[in-house]
Amino acid sequence: MPSNRTKMKAKPAVSEMSTGEATVATLLAHGFDTVYALPGVHNDHLFDAFHKAGERLRAVHSRHEQGAAYMALGAALATGRPQAYSVVPGPGLLNSGAALLTAYGMNAPVLGLIGQIPAAAIGKSQGHLHEIRDQAGIISRLVDHSARIDGPGEASPKTAKAIRAMAAGRPGPAVLECAIDVWGKRGPVAEIAAPSPPRRPKIDEDAVRAAARVLGKAKRVLIVCGGGAQDAAAEVTQLSGMLQAPVLAYRRGRGVLDSRDPLSVTLPLGRELWAEADAVLAVGTRLLTPITQWGVDRDLAIVHVNADPEEPARLRKPKVALIGDAAPILRQLIDALDRSNQPRASRKDELQERQAKMSKRLEKLKPQLAFLDVIRAELPEDGIYVDEVTQIGFAARLALPVYKPRTFLSPGYQDNLGWGYATSLGAQHARPDVPVLSINGDGGFMFTANELATAMRHRIPLVAVVFVDGAFGNVRRIQEEMFGNRLIASDLVNPDFVKFAESFGAAGRRARGPDELRTALREAFTAREPTLIEVPVGPMPSPWEFIHMPAVRGK
Ligand SMILES: Cc1ncc(C[n+]2csc(CCOP(=O)(O)OP(=O)(O)O)c2C)c(N)n1
Ligand SMILES: [Mg+2]
């Protein structure tokens, strides 16, 4: 019970602790129960503090630092709560770099606890183990909040500050460094900092009223959701109904409005609706694709809700900007609209018809869709689907129905190949109550396939599918279609994935086609054990005409 513990620990009493112990006590006081980690001599005293925390803090070790950091990312995305990982400095930090970059791009609260060389040697380029020039400077380019803990007395306030910073404003990762000879250093610790709610900007009521006026008088409102809308599903759903506004989501905003609602649309239909809209309500999105690809003109009034005050005007100054967390802002907007909004004619039939037409066009992706139908049917409603940069993944972003927030994890604008398997492991570890499904291409899967060992060691019952076409298929298709079939560096030699899985002691299966995948998934979700399903596939039709589409406004 974090709150009771918090009260006990928060008593101002001077006690002697090590820097590592004070850091761990602060993590516990803030409700952390896991640290995804890969040890090394720089962090031995920190890991000893993890050990002393006993059952209250699980150290889940991975087989590569990128695995640890991606696991923390997956856990953060699946739970919405901050998560921690710990690795050695230099190579350990860099190995975790792609995950940290992705956490930044996805505004995910991931706390890195990173070692450092001996305190007295920092900055002197003496060639100490794992030394890297200006580690603090490198870190400061990757995250918005970072600090170095220089002794036990400052461990707790600096840890608490980092955790607060991850939730404040636009959320995101943070990093704490600590030198090899400081984690174990003992000294007086006045108190363990208690969690304090992050400061929220006051909601600008004039702006809410202005937004209500814009949306109230608009005839065809389109709502666009990004990752920042994930905790505002109820409000978005209510607004969509009140305004009869379709809700467009592509990667990070999927699941905010249930896909079974005919007003829920993805990119291609969203673009048509963008062309017709007289007002857009953007919620927690950069609006990058609509503004830069589809175009804007003066007839489109944009109301932009974002936690980051810099974001709304980055691409185009909106008519109204509302700064802060989406849910409370949208709640006020609903109240303001309630007073003025006239009941609107239902757009259900119109949207149903247009959805059906779009489904016909999307039939071009039949090979992918046949697999997605099976996945949707077998993955329970609250099961979590984790995306990858692969043919099935691209199609899923367009066509996999998503029913609930935080059940469709997609890497956002980094779109980094190889994030999926380890991120899924973290999601499944943090949410043992629901099945998690990881989909992969043979290219992406091998980035973190070593973490099958982690799945076994920690008994994480993740089900992963690897679609095997013997290629970086997406790259190969581009070479075929746009570079006169001059194929280079896109063919792959693969292991037998069934034997590969079995060699770790995991369940390995082969499914030839959608029907066999259905059986394999059903059995795997029943068995709930680490499972890898190999699906041999051929080349698949290109999805790109539904993703990169020409402008429809402001031409
Ligand atoms: C970190 C990273 N490296 C490289 C790429 C470029 N890239 C995009 S898709 C792709 C190939 C994916 O191959 P695979 O995982 O087998 O999926 P397939 O397209 O064959 O379904 C590559 C190399 C990327 N997106 N991210
Ligand atoms: Mg492939």
Side-chain angles (χ1 to χ4, degrees):
M1 290 266 81
S3 54
N4 288 345
R5 196 157 57 234
T6 304
K7 278 194 193 120
M8 276 160 46
K9 299 260 168 154
K11 273 190 210 152
V14 177
S15 59
E16 208 186 71
M17 294 176 107
S18 74
T19 305
E21 288 164 5
T23 303
V24 167
T26 312
L27 292 176
L28 292 174
H30 285 73
F32 287 71
D33 58 15
T34 303
V35 56
Y36 300 96
L38 203 152
V41 69
H42 293 78
N43 292 336
D44 281 350
H45 284 281
L46 175 65
F47 278 64
D48 194 40
F50 295 158
H51 189 276
K52 286 179 185 156
E55 294 286 292
R56 292 174 299 160
L57 192 76
R58 289 166 297 180
V60 176
H61 56 304
S62 67
R63 300 299 291 268
H64 185 288
E65 283 93 355
Q66 71 169 344
Y70 277 131
M71 284 180 81
L73 173 61
L77 294 170
T79 60
R81 293 196 309 270
Q83 304 287 340
Y85 79 94
S86 181
V87 298
V88 296
L93 166 69
L94 294 185
N95 282 343
S96 75
L100 209 47
L101 177 67
T102 312
Y104 180 79
M106 301 180 78
N107 312 307
V110 171
L111 177 65
L113 300 166
I114 316 286
Q116 248 293 13
I117 62 167
I122 292 173
K124 297 193 175 152
S125 293
Q126 293 166 342
H128 287 266
L129 176 67
H130 302 344
E131 182 167 359
I132 183 170
R133 268 190 300 166
D134 192 15
Q135 176 164 287
I138 290 167
I139 290 168
S140 72
R141 297 298 174 106
L142 294 173
V143 296
D144 283 335
H145 180 93
S146 55
R148 198 172 82 204
I149 301 173
D150 285 324
E154 57 178 66
S156 190
K158 283 192 172 170
T159 303
K161 194 172 174 191
I163 297 167
R164 238 183 351 261
M166 293 201 293
R170 183 186 201 117
V175 169
L176 292 168
E177 289 180 281
C178 184
I180 182 170
D181 51 338
V182 174
W183 282 129
K185 208 174 186 174
R186 302 190 76 81
V189 171
E191 64 173 315
I192 296 304
S196 62
R199 251 178 287 134
R200 298 285 179 225
K202 217 176 128 358
I203 298 174
D204 180 343
E205 290 176 10
D206 290 341
V208 171
R209 277 190 291 271
R213 275 194 301 275
V214 170
L215 299 171
K217 72 169 195 255
K219 298 252 168 333
R220 296 176 84 80
V221 180
L222 174 65
I223 300 174
V224 184
C225 286
Q230 284 294 337
D231 294 323
E235 292 78 8
V236 167
T237 305
Q238 195 177 340
L239 274 166
S240 167
M242 285 171 77
L243 297 167
Q244 282 302 294
V247 176
L248 161 62
Y250 172 47
R251 291 184 298 217
R252 302 266 292 113
R254 307 277 331 269
V256 173
L257 182 65
D258 189 320
S259 298
R260 289 167 293 199
D261 188 322
L263 268 59
S264 159
V265 304
T266 68
L267 273 195
L269 189 48
R271 171 172 164 273
E272 287 180 15
L273 295 160
W274 176 270
E276 300 159 9
D278 53 357
V280 158
L281 172 61
V283 186
T285 167
R286 296 175 174 85
L287 279 183
L288 181 73
T289 296
I291 289 181
T292 61
Q293 287 188 32
W294 305 343
V296 264
D297 53 44
R298 297 173 63 169
D299 298 332
L300 186 65
I302 298 176
V303 173
H304 200 142
V305 180
N306 209 289
D308 179 352
E310 306 276 318
E311 194 58 56
R314 201 161 258 151
L315 291 166
R316 186 184 174 92
K317 198 169 182 309
K319 187 114 182 163
V320 184
L322 289 162
I323 304 307
D325 289 348
I329 290 176
L330 296 186
R331 186 52 51 206
Q332 284 203 9
L333 188 56
I334 288 165
D335 292 343
L337 270 167
D338 243 355
R339 291 190 285 274
S340 61
N341 190 49
Q342 302 296 328
R344 297 177 180 237
S346 168
R347 295 188 68 183
K348 190 172 159 218
D349 292 345
E350 174 209 338
L351 264 299
Q352 241 155 10
E353 212 168 284
R354 297 176 75 169
Q355 299 267 19
K357 250 188 220 153
M358 187 53 71
S359 300
K360 276 246 143 12
R361 276 188 56 203
L362 284 166
E363 275 175 16
K364 190 202 154 187
L365 306 179
K366 216 169 196 158
Q368 291 97 310
L369 298 181
F371 286 116
L372 291 178
D373 283 349
V374 166
I375 286 172
R376 185 64 278 175
E378 295 307 319
L379 183 67
E381 247 185 64
D382 54 359
I384 298 173
Y385 163 96
V386 184
D387 198 18
E388 248 293 348
V389 191
T390 178
Q391 302 313 306
I392 300 296
F394 298 144
R397 296 168 191 184
L398 301 168
L400 180 74
V402 185
Y403 305 140
K404 291 182 175 212
R406 296 195 186 281
T407 62
F408 184 90
L409 309 185
S410 185
Y413 70 89
Q414 285 302 333
D415 230 356
N416 45 333
L417 188 62
W419 91 307
Y421 184 68
T423 302
S424 311
L425 273 180
Q428 182 69 88
H429 182 266
R431 289 291 313 273
D433 52 319
V434 293
V436 176
L437 178 69
S438 162
I439 64 112
N440 307 266
D442 43 358
F445 179 69
M446 291 292 271
F447 278 46
T448 58
N450 57 330
E451 302 299 351
L452 255 165
T454 305
M456 293 309 294
R457 167 64 183 79
H458 298 283
R459 299 305 309 174
I460 303 172
L462 175 67
V463 178
V465 182
V466 53
F467 293 92
V468 180
D469 64 350
F472 288 131
N474 205 58
V475 177
R476 182 180 61 189
R477 196 180 45 230
I478 291 170
Q479 291 169 353
E480 285 165 0
E481 291 178 359
M482 294 164 68
F483 292 88
N485 203 29
R486 291 187 297 281
L487 304 183
I488 177 165
S490 57
D491 64 306
L492 300 176
V493 169
N494 285 314
D496 174 326
F497 285 103
V498 175
K499 284 192 189 147
F500 180 75
E502 286 171 352
S503 73
F504 287 89
R509 297 170 195 279
R510 187 166 290 108
R512 295 180 195 281
D515 286 342
E516 287 187 20
L517 179 60
R518 186 188 304 280
T519 312
L521 285 177
R522 197 167 290 176
E523 286 172 6
F525 287 141
T526 306
R528 294 305 305 274
E529 57 178 339
T531 302
L532 182 64
I533 304 170
E534 174 184 302
V535 181
V537 293
M540 294 194 192
S542 169
W544 294 107
E545 71 196 71
F546 303 108
I547 297 168
H548 293 307
M549 295 176 287
V552 283
R553 295 189 84 125
K555 285 183 275 191

